[in-house]
Amino acid sequence: MNELFWTYFFVIGTFATYIAIAIWSRAGSTKDFYVAGHDIHPALNGMATAADWMSAASFLSMAGLIAFLGYGGSVYLMGWTGGYVLLALLLAPYLREFGKFTVPDFVGDRYYSKTARVIAVVCALFVSFTYIAGQMKGVGVAFSSFLGVPFNVGIFVGSAIVFVYAVLGGMKGITYTQVAQYVVLIFAYTVPAIFISLTITGNPIPQFGFIGNVAGTDISLLEKLNTVVTDLGFTEYTSTTKDMIDVFCITAALMFGTAGLPHVIIRFFTVSSAQSARKSAGWALMFIAILYTVAPAVGAFARMNFIDTVNEATYIQDNENYEERAASITEDGEKPVPVWYKTWEKTGYIKFNDLNGDGKIQYRGPSAPDGVANEVEPNRDIFVLANPQIAQLPAWVVGLVVAGGLAAALSTAAGLLMVISSAVSHDLLKRTFTPNMTEKQEMIAARLAAAAAVISSALLGAFASSLPFVAQVVAFAFGLAAASLFPVIFLGIFWKRMNREGAIASMLIGLSTTFSYIVYFKFMGGTADGWWFGVSPEGIGFVFMWLSAGVGIIVALLTQEPPKEIQELVEDIRIPGTRSSHGKAEGGMAPSE
Amino acid sequence: MATTNKLDADGYWKATLRLTISLLIVWFLASYGAGILFRETLDSFSIGGAPLGFWFAQNGAIYIFLALIVIYCRKMTEYEKIFGIKG
């Protein structure tokens, strides 16, 4: 039983399960389609939220980035979990009490304006399409490196699967498949981590291995890693070269962005009450924390294993017989280039450039004490996938990890497609342009919009092959969400005086500034010297969030206060139970006792 | 759940805001404080084999976030009872 067999086994097995679930949980009404009937149990919704949330960026990319950034990788760890505190405390229960289907729904009603609703739709689409490009890239990486399928065919297959269950099942189908996908992905993430932790530290629990000693010695893992990487000319693992202000801003942009992401927020519309929404956020963070507390351990182990197996290894050419050559290198007391390296080399994600012509791979940092130049540059996205091979785990573990990576990417892509399709069919058509649509017509529109979204995201993903690491592509979506959506939602709940004019100004400022800053510094040749306040494009969303909120508040104070019934609406959503008892929530939205 | 208490929406909202603000202070201290601003000072201590500030940034803050949401849920359910809110 080889790796290819097990990979096909797990991938086909899990895909078949997802489709079976989708057929079993088809959506019958728009309420089913948009919010899964509002009666999902908080724990189940927490699990679905966790899968929805943990994307290819969390699963494939994050541990690899941490491995190479060390302490600098903490921005992802804190940023992508701390946002849930904001979500649970500041947004989720109130938005649930508001009792509608989508984020633009809230913005449109709270700010009594079609313009505000349409701008919110634009923000939601911007954020979701940026995010989905990252997922599709993840799907492409997983397929192209393990199933021997070209990158674009991989994207096509992945999209086709999402198509089936998103278009058929809507939010209901997505919720139940996401629960299954969570189980697959968490299993796939922790099993290899446990194996590797045992080998390196002798402790089966990765969180403990991470702070423990290297097996058989009394040197701690992190201390050893610090020594090894500084000897090669890198910054200490537990330290960073980034400015503190930049670390602060990136973390904050990711946190506030998390709380402003439409595809995460809509998950809290699927539970039955404000109280369930709070509980659900707690469950979600618990399920997420399992992966997020293991990830730094995986990163540290990966860096250690990478250096151990690759640095100073003798390279074997493609035209040589690998087994024979490896055996003779070992006989000479040298280290042959490992099998996993040769496998990944074919995908182009890792390259060796023998600068000093000694036939060995030298891995060095920017300030190597021995002055040797670095000869190998691995793509960070491959580490989680390659980890089981690097640690020489059984072939079935490799297959499981591929299935896990695909589960992570597909579950997130599906959640994003829901946002895109509901933004078009519900917010643009039903609530803005063609309010006379029947429920049946709206369902058809929603399915068509989901289908169109799948196709366009697949095309986007095909272009995404040239983009940087998955986690960094995704980081932009957070900046956009933090600066454009978070302030208007937050102020809409906590400040009664916030009005239509303020909201429109705030969203436009937040979206345009963040977008231009990112485009200028990432794609138009802007350099780090030009960064405002030393903040990188990844962290700028946090700065512009304050600008956006500030402008919104000033404009609101200069214009007329919102109508009385809007101020009453705000009071209602603050107190659970009042809104639905006033009969103002959408049909069937009353909390079920 | 007998809702014998009289509905006091004002009291409920004030209590909610107080709780939210105090939890957010802890949230800030655990992540931005321990993990970023005071990391270097905290790094002179260690937990197991890891520098404390570094550990907070990579593991500790996440545990605290989770604890904060759990406390929030418990407290809010309590407030709903005290102030006669239907939940």
Side-chain angles (χ1 to χ4, degrees):
Chain A
M1 300 290 172
N2 63 8
E3 280 172 15
L4 197 65
F5 166 80
W6 283 112
T7 308
Y8 272 107
F9 175 82
F10 280 113
V11 170
I12 293 173
T14 52
F15 278 19
T17 314
Y18 306 150
I19 292 193
I21 293 174
I23 294 171
W24 164 75
S25 60
R26 284 188 309 283
S29 64
T30 46
K31 209 171 102 188
D32 275 353
F33 194 88
Y34 291 135
V35 288
H38 288 303
D39 58 356
I40 303 287
H41 185 274
L44 217 54
N45 186 52
M47 208 179 260
T49 310
D52 193 330
W53 171 241
M54 291 191 288
S55 59
S58 299
F59 190 97
L60 296 176
S61 199
M62 190 172 65
L65 280 169
I66 297 170
F68 289 87
L69 295 172
Y71 168 77
S74 315
V75 296
Y76 301 110
L77 292 164
M78 287 189 287
W80 286 339
T81 51
Y84 274 84
V85 178
L86 296 174
L87 207 65
L89 271 56
L90 300 178
L91 308 184
Y94 306 109
L95 290 175
R96 175 59 191 86
E97 182 61 23
F98 169 71
K100 290 285 173 71
F101 290 145
T102 67
V103 171
D105 246 352
F106 174 76
V107 174
D109 284 10
R110 166 64 181 81
Y111 297 112
Y112 45 99
S113 156
K114 280 188 180 171
T115 318
R117 184 189 300 273
V118 173
I119 296 173
V121 169
V122 173
C123 294
L125 290 180
F126 249 106
V127 172
S128 303
F129 270 112
T130 318
Y131 209 116
I132 218 167
Q135 305 315 311
M136 287 304 176
K137 183 170 152 79
V139 172
V141 171
F143 266 103
S144 62
S145 32
F146 276 96
L147 299 170
V149 181
F151 191 90
N152 287 344
V153 177
I155 288 180
F156 176 78
V157 175
S159 313
I161 300 290
V162 179
F163 185 89
V164 171
Y165 65 76
V167 174
L168 199 67
M171 197 59 167
K172 199 171 166 202
I174 287 176
T175 302
Y176 290 108
T177 28
Q178 280 174 336
V179 170
Q181 283 162 334
Y182 176 79
V183 176
V184 173
L185 81 88
I186 202 68
F187 199 58
Y189 204 81
T190 47
V191 166
I194 290 169
F195 273 118
I196 298 171
S197 181
L198 254 180
T199 331
I200 295 188
T201 68
N203 194 323
I205 300 169
Q207 288 91 334
F208 292 148
F210 181 54
I211 57 171
N213 291 343
V214 178
T217 68
D218 50 8
I219 304 167
S220 82
L221 170 78
L222 290 164
E223 217 175 304
K224 174 152 185 224
L225 203 49
N226 273 342
T227 322
V228 172
V229 297
T230 40
D231 283 352
L232 294 177
F234 294 95
T235 327
E236 270 196 342
Y237 190 78
T238 57
S239 187
T240 182
T241 48
K242 276 188 186 149
D243 286 343
M244 192 191 280
I245 181 167
D246 198 26
V247 173
F248 190 102
C249 288
I250 297 178
T251 309
L254 296 179
M255 278 198 200
F256 287 94
T258 299
L261 281 182
H263 76 283
V264 178
I265 293 176
I266 56 165
R267 292 242 42 106
F268 294 97
F269 293 120
T270 64
V271 294
S272 62
S273 66
Q275 199 182 57
S276 316
R278 289 194 289 266
K279 282 190 189 148
S280 202
W283 282 110
L285 185 58
M286 195 199 81
F287 290 123
I288 291 167
I290 298 175
L291 188 144
Y292 272 65
T293 52
V294 168
V298 172
F301 301 151
R303 183 70 172 275
M304 196 72 126
N305 273 337
F306 177 75
I307 295 171
D308 275 351
T309 55
V310 170
N311 188 34
E312 303 297 341
T314 306
Y315 190 72
I316 298 171
Q317 299 295 338
D318 287 340
N319 53 16
E320 293 174 295
N321 180 320
Y322 181 86
E323 279 81 21
E324 281 173 21
R325 182 82 176 93
S328 86
I329 293 169
T330 319
E331 233 165 74
D332 295 341
E334 298 281 328
K335 181 166 70 177
V337 63
V339 185
W340 71 264
Y341 184 100
K342 294 302 290 178
T343 322
W344 281 93
E345 196 176 39
K346 289 191 198 87
T347 64
Y349 290 120
I350 188 165
K351 272 193 196 85
F352 166 51
N353 183 4
D354 195 1
L355 295 171
N356 59 2
D358 67 350
K360 288 183 183 174
I361 301 173
Q362 267 91 27
Y363 175 58
R364 291 293 185 278
S367 51
D370 57 4
V372 175
N374 181 40
E375 300 179 335
V376 59
E377 197 47 62
N379 182 306
R380 274 68 163 145
D381 284 352
I382 67 174
F383 277 90
V384 167
L385 289 173
N387 227 351
Q389 297 171 310
I390 299 176
Q392 299 182 319
L393 298 182
W396 65 268
V397 180
V398 178
L400 181 65
V401 171
V402 180
L406 289 169
L410 295 180
S411 58
T412 307
L416 291 161
L417 289 171
M418 266 321 289
V419 172
I420 295 170
S421 85
S422 62
V424 172
S425 65
H426 185 72
D427 296 307
L428 282 187
L429 295 178
K430 174 79 184 171
R431 301 297 304 271
T432 313
F433 296 115
T434 53
N436 298 328
M437 251 195 323
T438 63
E439 176 164 334
K440 219 175 195 161
Q441 287 169 323
E442 193 183 342
M443 278 284 277
I444 295 171
R447 289 201 157 113
L448 286 178
V454 175
I455 294 165
S456 39
S457 64
L459 291 176
L460 203 62
F463 289 114
S465 60
S466 59
L467 292 172
F469 314 119
V470 173
Q472 286 168 339
V473 174
V474 163
F476 297 142
F478 288 86
L480 291 172
S484 65
L485 290 170
F486 184 81
V488 287
I489 302 175
F490 174 78
L491 289 170
I493 297 165
F494 287 88
W495 196 44
K496 259 187 279 180
R497 182 65 179 75
M498 187 66 177
N499 65 6
R500 172 178 60 198
E501 291 77 9
I504 293 175
S506 168
M507 284 188 289
L508 288 179
I509 291 278
L511 187 67
S512 57
T513 49
T514 311
F515 185 76
S516 338
Y517 194 88
I518 291 175
V519 168
Y520 178 73
F521 284 106
K522 280 284 161 177
F523 305 107
M524 288 172 51
T527 57
D529 313 328
W531 290 354
W532 294 5
F533 323 110
V535 178
S536 60
E538 285 87 350
I540 202 67
F542 177 64
V543 177
F544 288 137
M545 180 184 88
W546 292 99
L547 179 74
S548 145
V551 168
I553 290 171
I554 293 169
V555 171
L557 287 174
L558 292 177
T559 46
Q560 217 171 18
E561 66 176 289
K564 198 150 182 308
E565 69 260 26
I566 296 296
Q567 305 201 21
E568 276 165 14
L569 163 95
V570 178
E571 271 172 21
D572 281 355
I573 60 172
R574 291 174 177 179
I575 314 296
T578 46
R579 182 163 160 80
S580 29
S581 62
H582 288 180
K584 285 178 199 145
E586 199 113 332
M589 292 288 287
S592 48
E593 291 290 317
Chain B
M1 254 211 315
T3 49
T4 43
N5 289 326
K6 210 173 142 277
L7 178 96
D8 176 6
D10 231 32
Y12 172 81
W13 181 241
K14 281 199 184 114
T16 306
L17 284 182
R18 246 195 327 270
L19 175 67
T20 307
I21 292 169
S22 21
L23 293 177
L24 285 180
I25 292 173
V26 181
W27 164 82
F28 183 86
L29 290 178
S31 47
Y32 299 94
I36 300 175
L37 300 173
F38 309 120
R39 170 181 67 88
E40 286 181 30
T41 324
L42 285 180
D43 273 355
S44 48
F45 304 94
S46 56
I47 176 165
L52 191 58
F54 171 82
W55 180 80
F56 257 102
Q58 301 224 323
N59 251 322
I62 302 175
Y63 299 127
I64 291 177
F65 294 153
L66 188 57
L68 288 176
I69 300 188
V70 172
I71 294 171
Y72 179 70
C73 288
R74 294 232 165 126
K75 278 280 185 192
M76 288 303 283
T77 312
E78 209 180 291
Y79 290 164
E80 272 156 18
K81 249 186 222 159
I82 296 173
F83 298 104
I85 305 289
K86 215 158 67 112

